[in-house]
Amino acid sequence: VNFFILLLFPKCNPIPENVSPGTEVGIINVQDRDSETNRQVRCSIQQNVPFKLVPSIKNYYSVVSTGQLDRELVSDYNITITATDEGSPPLSSSKTVQLSVADINDNPPVFEEQSYSAYVSENNKPGSTLCSVSARDPDWRQNGTVVYSLLSGEVNGAPVSSYVSVNGDTGVIHAVRSFDYEQFRSFKVHVMARDNGSPPLSSNVTVSVFISDVNDNSPQILYPAPEGNSFMTELVPKAAHGGSLVSKVIAVDADSGQNAWLSYHIVKSTDPGLFTIGVHSGEIRTQRDISESDSMKQNLIVSVKDNGQPSLSATCSMYLLISDNLAEVPELKDISYDEKNSKLTSYLIIALVCVSTFFLTFIIIIMGVRFCRRRKPRLLFDGAVAIPSAYLPPNYADVDGTGTLRSAYNYDAYLTTGSRTSDFKFVSSYNDNTLPADQTLRKMVYVCRSFPFSITNF
Ligand SMILES: *[C@@H]1O[C@H](CO)[C@@H](O)[C@H](O)[C@H]1NC(C)=O
Ligand SMILES: *[C@@H]1O[C@H](CO)[C@@H](O)[C@H](O)[C@H]1NC(C)=O
Ligand SMILES: *[C@@H]1O[C@H](CO)[C@@H](O)[C@H](O)[C@H]1NC(C)=O
């Protein structure tokens, strides 16, 4: 009737979870104060626990584990032990004992994800957060406390720690430096999670960092070379038809995708209707046939833009020379490109001044006796073909009886200013019915004789 169930626990209480099956974890002792047969006692244990009772010496029982224990599944057991005597009727009594399972560091930290990816735009601020990793460890206290760290490794030859850092407590991964997409587009780091057990358990995970492009590079023009370095001129044949390929602007952009998708536009040109540029090819073509009236020197300002947000651009100048003659190219340097009209005006002024000076000079020559003497022999030998009309006195037509010479003057005046480009040719009169040389010579002699001043010198 009166039981004493003495729990001689623990042999070890709490029981370490790693005890092997069959390990004796405790001893109980049962006492019945009744006499004789009634003192015979049988003990039993509930069925659903991994323990059994093994009779030991008189009224002593061993509590033996029957299977693996796992603290992470069941951390304590309420074991109910029932004692029944042999009496009639039998009496029984039961007692519940609590059996705790102690932790063993048998679980490594496990990352919540198989791998992690972080996406960051280039030119990020150092210290910015990339992502965070997290690992769980179901063990108890320090056996389940996770500490994160970077596994040593290299990224582009530099230690990985110079690229990212991980917060040991939180698993938050920070960028240590600013990344450059043009240098590398992604890299991998390995993060280890370790518990604080003794010995510690760990696992690792791969974190891939993907750097995305930012439009931080302007287009770079390879051709034509930047101004100042060289003076490049493209020659356009005068016979070029509309649609002819004249030149090509070549540019590159270090960015990628839309940020490197270049478009070309002519922003300024000497003759806006003459040339066109392929928006994406950069090819410069004539838009129509070249005509005589087109200015020989053509200047195009081309803008190259990428398609980024916001877009970046670069400009270049393209010098085009409509000519078939390479020898004309160097003279371009002397001439201002933008002042086509004022240039023409200045030439006209120079020409007018030259013509005036020329005539003035000859009037002086005619008036001066000595000068006329020197000129006469030259006229006889090499000046027979052309007679400057200025030599002729106003009454010349009356002197010449035949009247044929009057309409047959070829007078070409060349005004030379010293520059080849400023050669101007003025034809005052032209007639195909030029007299034969000998006839002209005769007239010449006649003309000179008719000069009142020159007769004496013949
Ligand atoms: C064991 O019993 C105690 C109180 O007696 C109770 O708080 C605990 O929840 C029980 N444990 C189980 C596993 O039943
Ligand atoms: C952690 O596990 C070790 C054995 O791996 C054990 O000795 C220790 O008591 C455990 N610590 C805690 C707080 O349970
Ligand atoms: C990382 O984990 C893998 C298995 O997940 C293991 O094979 C490897 O040895 C670990 N590396 C380190 C440095 O712990």
Coordinates of all heavy atoms in Angstrom, one line a residue, residues 23 26 35 106 139 142 214 237 277 287 404 425 445 448 452:
T23 N 22.4 2.6 -22.3 CA 23.1 3.2 -21.2 C 22.3 3.3 -20.0 O 21.1 3.7 -20.1 CB 23.6 4.6 -21.6 OG1 24.4 4.5 -22.8 CG2 24.5 5.2 -20.5
G26 N 19.9 5.8 -14.7 CA 19.4 6.1 -13.3 C 19.0 4.8 -12.6 O 19.0 3.7 -13.3
S35 N 3.8 -6.6 4.6 CA 4.6 -7.8 5.0 C 4.5 -8.9 3.9 O 3.6 -8.9 3.1 CB 4.3 -8.3 6.3 OG 2.9 -8.7 6.3
D106 N 26.0 19.0 -31.4 CA 25.9 18.0 -32.5 C 25.3 18.6 -33.7 O 25.1 17.8 -34.7 CB 25.2 16.8 -32.0 CG 23.8 17.1 -31.5 OD1 23.5 18.3 -31.3 OD2 23.0 16.2 -31.2
D139 N 21.4 24.0 -31.5 CA 22.0 23.7 -30.2 C 21.7 24.7 -29.1 O 21.2 25.8 -29.4 CB 23.5 23.4 -30.4 CG 23.7 22.1 -31.1 OD1 22.9 21.1 -31.0 OD2 24.7 22.0 -31.9
Q142 N 25.8 28.5 -26.1 CA 26.9 28.8 -27.0 C 27.1 27.7 -28.1 O 27.7 28.0 -29.1 CB 28.2 29.0 -26.2 CG 28.8 27.8 -25.6 CD 28.5 27.7 -24.1 OE1 27.4 28.2 -23.6 NE2 29.4 27.2 -23.3
V214 N 26.7 51.5 -64.4 CA 26.2 52.8 -64.3 C 26.8 53.6 -65.4 O 28.0 53.3 -65.8 CB 26.6 53.4 -62.9 CG1 26.4 54.9 -62.9 CG2 25.7 52.8 -61.8
P237 N 36.0 63.6 -103.2 CA 36.1 63.9 -104.7 C 35.0 64.8 -105.2 O 33.8 64.7 -104.7 CB 36.0 62.5 -105.3 CG 36.1 61.5 -104.2 CD 35.7 62.2 -102.9
I277 N 24.9 61.8 -91.3 CA 25.7 60.8 -90.6 C 24.7 59.7 -90.2 O 23.6 59.9 -89.8 CB 26.4 61.4 -89.4 CG1 27.4 60.5 -88.8 CG2 25.4 61.9 -88.3 CD1 28.4 61.1 -87.9
Q287 N 24.7 63.8 -99.0 CA 23.3 63.7 -99.1 C 22.8 63.9 -100.5 O 21.7 63.5 -100.9 CB 22.7 64.7 -98.1 CG 21.4 64.3 -97.4 CD 21.0 65.1 -96.3 OE1 21.8 65.9 -95.8 NE2 19.8 64.9 -95.8
T404 N 41.3 95.8 -138.0 CA 41.2 94.4 -137.5 C 41.7 94.2 -136.1 O 41.2 93.4 -135.4 CB 41.9 93.5 -138.4 OG1 43.2 93.9 -138.6 CG2 41.2 93.3 -139.8
K425 N 42.2 85.6 -112.2 CA 42.4 85.8 -113.6 C 41.3 86.7 -114.1 O 40.1 86.3 -114.0 CB 42.4 84.4 -114.3 CG 42.8 84.5 -115.7 CD 42.9 83.1 -116.3 CE 43.2 83.1 -117.7 NZ 43.3 81.7 -118.2
V445 N 54.9 97.2 -134.0 CA 56.0 98.1 -134.4 C 55.3 99.4 -134.8 O 55.7 100.5 -134.4 CB 56.8 97.6 -135.6 CG1 57.8 98.6 -136.1 CG2 57.6 96.4 -135.1
C448 N 54.1 101.2 -131.7 CA 55.2 101.9 -131.0 C 55.7 103.1 -131.7 O 56.0 104.1 -131.1 CB 56.3 100.9 -130.7 SG 55.9 99.7 -129.4
P452 N 54.1 109.1 -129.6 CA 54.9 110.3 -129.8 C 56.3 110.3 -129.1 O 57.3 110.8 -129.5 CB 54.0 111.4 -129.3 CG 52.9 110.8 -128.5 CD 52.8 109.4 -129.0

